[in-house]
Every structure is written in structure tokens, then in C-alpha cells.
Amino acid sequence: MRVLLAGGGTAGHTSPLLATADALRRLDPATEVTCLGTPRGLETRVVPEAGYPLELVPPVPLPRRPGADLLRVPGRLRGAVTETLAVLDRVRPDVVVGYGGYVSVPAYLAARRRHLPIALHEQNALPGVANRLGARVAARVAVSFPDTPLRGAEYVGLPIRRMISQLDRAASRAEACAAFGLDPARPTLLVTGGSQGATRLNQAVSAAAPALAAAGVQVLHVQGKHGGADPAAAGSSYVIVDYVDRMDLAYAAADLVLCRAGANSVVEAAATGLPAILVPLPIGNGEQAQNARPVVDAGGALLVDDAAVTPDWVAATVPGLATDAPRLQRMSAAAVALVPRDADERLARLVLELGATRRDRTGGAR
């Protein structure tokens, strides 16, 4: 069977895509997986590193407001669909899977034109424009959260890579702390804004470095490509890095994470039992606050408005939580049982079923 996985831009799309690709190969090693992305996304690095072929087509951003960019969308979309059709004709997949974002709309339209079955996966509790459109033509619609408002939605959870879904944080802590030059005997705060970073969070937490150090809290700060963390904060108890390939080790080193509430961050923290302070991005359609709500309601995380996260707030709040081991244990227990850890294989089985149905209908012809 041949499967085309379409998604890219940020880790929010590439991480579940790669988790699904790995699961497809585990369930059926003969499956041929090809990924579809754009030249400007994270996929240009992480997909080849994971060992999967990558095809590239032009991005088609969908503006949120009327303007000149909106007028250019039809022409850009026609060009992207034409190039995606050429990819489909080369790869000849049995099924196309979309994860939303810039590359998915051309993939959905091209797949429909070639009469190929479409599956889509929506990461967020509130779907984006691409997947709201895609759900109209998809044969199967999978979602990360139970109440996601998409037609025909099937709750499978968010696919996360097995290095994270199977992580034993306690067993890996010594190795993880050694990898980042941290002391395994001290409480560790992990700060991350995702692959793009979160400049405001970076500035607020690094400015509170003296208060964290005074409380005995060490920090692993993954600042992302946009930076913003204060280099003056760096030292033996405050480690600043731009990017981490082994997020499993980052989670294993941590006792608490302060992060955005993208679907990946929420689900990975919950799946590993890592207590979280979730700070939704203050733009968009409110999906990040919705992503966070189930874990917060269960007691596994705190939800804090972006505007409230100042250096003074961090200094007054985070050290006390990071050093409160009994409370962190309660938060961990509340989070870890909340999300499915096998969403990668659930989605992979759905995709294989869809592809098999087409092959049965066509007699295996492509």
C-alpha cells in the first residue's frame, strides 16, 4: 500500500504526521509512505531526518482577513493543486491523509480530482480552515479531542511518537539531566514555546532567573527560533537552547513545564505525566485554550492568560509550584490517565482500512 501524508509548517503538523508514518511502518512494514510539504516549513528538515521521502509544493496561506492576499489565493491554489496532481501521478497513493495547514487544501482538492480516498486528522479542539474544508470531502475524519466540531469526527487522540508515548520519565531522568548538564537532584522547570518559540514567555521566565535560582529550581529553556531569552540568565542552573531534537529527554529531565497550549504540547505533557502551566497563544480562534481545558479541569495543569505571565508573576508563582513535590505528584497522576497513548496506531489502522477498501474496490489497480 502507498500512503501520502500531507502536512507541515510547524511541529504541530509534522509531529503527528511522523508519528503516523512510524505507526504505518510498524503495522505493515511493506507500506510505502511519502510526505507532502512546502519549502518553508519544518518538514524540510525533520521528514528527511526521519527517513521518509518528501515532496514539496508551493504553500497557500489562507488569510484570516480580507485584503490583497485573499485575492491572490485562487491563483496560488490552482498552481499548488496542479503541482500536487503531478505528485499524486508520480507517487500513485492508495490514500491521502491531511493534517491541516497550508499544504492540506491542495492535497484534498487534488486527491478528490483523482478519486482517491481522503482521511484527515485535526490536532486542535477547534479546527482550522483547511480541515473544515477537508471534512466536506474526506471519507474519514479523525480528531485529537472528543468534542471537536467536525462533520463525521472520530475520536482517536493525537498521534505522538513512541519515544514520548512510551517514556518512563523517572527511569530516564539521570540520562536526560546528563544530556543537558542539569543536576538530577534538583527540581527542573522546562520552558518551551514550541518549534516557533514564544518571545514573551522567553523574556518573562528568563527575567525571573534570580528568583528561580534562589528557590533551588534549575531551568531547561528551549527558546525556539525567534529567541528572546536573556543570555545573562544562562549558567549552570539555567540552560538555554534554541531547539531540542530529543524532546523525550527534555520531558524526562523536567518536573514542571511552562509552555503554550498547542495540541502537541498539551498531549505530550499529559501523556508523560508532566505537570504543566499552559499559556494559550492570545491570537487565533481560541483553539489553544480549548486544547488545554480537559487537562486543566482534571487537575493536571494550570491555565494562565498570556498577559498575566510577567517576570513578577513567574517569580511569585513558579518556584513554589516547582518545589512542591506532593502537588506535582497529584497533577501528574491526574494528567497521565487522560489521553490515549496509542493514537498513532489508531490513526494508522484507520488509514490502512481506507486504503484497503479502495484496493478491494479497484482490484489493486492504481
Side-chain angles (χ1 to χ4, degrees):
M1 188 176 297
R2 296 174 182 170
V3 179
L4 183 74
L5 305 179
T10 67
H13 294 125
T14 58
S15 292
L17 180 151
L18 290 174
T20 310
D22 291 347
L24 287 166
R25 288 271 185 89
R26 283 197 309 275
L27 293 174
D28 182 359
T31 303
E32 297 179 17
V33 176
T34 302
C35 301
L36 183 72
T38 74
R40 66 169 63 170
L42 185 66
E43 63 271 22
T44 58
R45 183 176 68 83
V46 299
V47 169
E49 286 180 357
Y52 296 103
L54 175 65
E55 298 277 352
L56 298 175
V57 297
V60 185
L62 300 176
R64 295 180 183 271
R65 296 175 180 151
D69 280 345
L70 185 60
L71 297 175
R72 297 187 187 101
V73 167
R76 290 172 173 169
L77 187 56
R78 282 193 296 271
V81 169
T82 297
E83 294 201 28
T84 305
L85 287 168
V87 172
L88 295 182
D89 292 341
R90 285 197 303 274
V91 175
R92 300 167 66 197
D94 296 290
V95 59
V96 173
V97 186
Y99 293 83
Y102 295 160
V103 73
S104 290
V105 172
Y108 298 147
L109 294 175
R112 190 181 188 196
R113 194 173 297 181
R114 289 291 185 262
H115 306 290
L116 294 171
I118 300 166
L120 71 78
H121 183 273
E122 173 57 47
Q123 293 82 53
N124 290 300
L126 292 178
V129 174
N131 277 348
R132 290 203 303 270
L133 295 171
R136 297 170 180 264
V137 297
R140 305 287 292 271
V141 176
V143 296
S144 299
F145 299 94
D147 299 322
T148 301
L150 277 178
R151 178 189 301 175
E154 304 173 50
Y155 173 51
V156 301
L158 178 70
I160 56 179
R161 302 194 77 177
R162 286 176 71 85
M163 68 170 63
I164 293 173
S165 67
Q166 304 300 310
L167 176 66
D168 183 331
R169 287 175 47 234
S172 301
R173 183 176 177 87
E175 175 195 358
C177 287
F180 297 111
L182 299 168
D183 182 352
R186 296 177 62 185
T188 304
L189 170 69
L190 170 64
V191 182
T192 174
S195 59
Q196 301 301 298
T199 303
R200 280 204 70 259
L201 300 187
N202 292 342
Q203 292 171 342
V205 178
S206 61
L212 292 162
V217 178
Q218 57 190 354
V219 180
L220 173 58
H221 195 142
V222 187
Q223 68 172 350
K225 73 175 187 178
H226 296 307
D230 182 0
S236 59
S237 63
Y238 201 114
V239 177
I240 300 174
V241 296
D242 291 338
Y243 186 81
V244 172
D245 286 308
R246 292 286 306 273
M247 279 303 293
D248 57 318
L249 294 182
Y251 292 140
D255 299 282
L256 174 68
V257 60
L258 189 154
C259 61
R260 289 297 191 201
N264 273 357
S265 297
V266 171
V267 171
E268 289 181 355
T272 57
L274 180 60
I277 299 171
L278 300 173
V279 186
L281 192 68
I283 60 174
N285 62 1
E287 71 276 10
Q288 291 204 354
Q290 292 295 319
N291 294 343
R293 183 53 59 190
V295 184
V296 172
D297 289 348
L302 304 180
L303 184 65
V304 184
D305 287 342
D306 181 78
V309 182
T310 63
D312 288 343
W313 181 90
V314 174
T317 307
V318 176
L321 179 57
T323 55
D324 189 345
R327 185 179 180 189
L328 293 178
Q329 288 173 358
R330 292 193 298 270
M331 292 176 70
S332 177
V336 74
L338 199 61
V339 298
R341 295 189 178 196
D342 63 343
D344 55 341
E345 294 196 352
R346 293 187 188 189
L347 181 58
R349 290 191 183 95
L350 181 154
V351 171
L352 291 172
E353 288 170 9
L354 190 57
T357 298
R358 177 184 185 269
R359 289 172 68 86
D360 290 343
R361 188 175 66 247
T362 62
R366 293 191 179 94

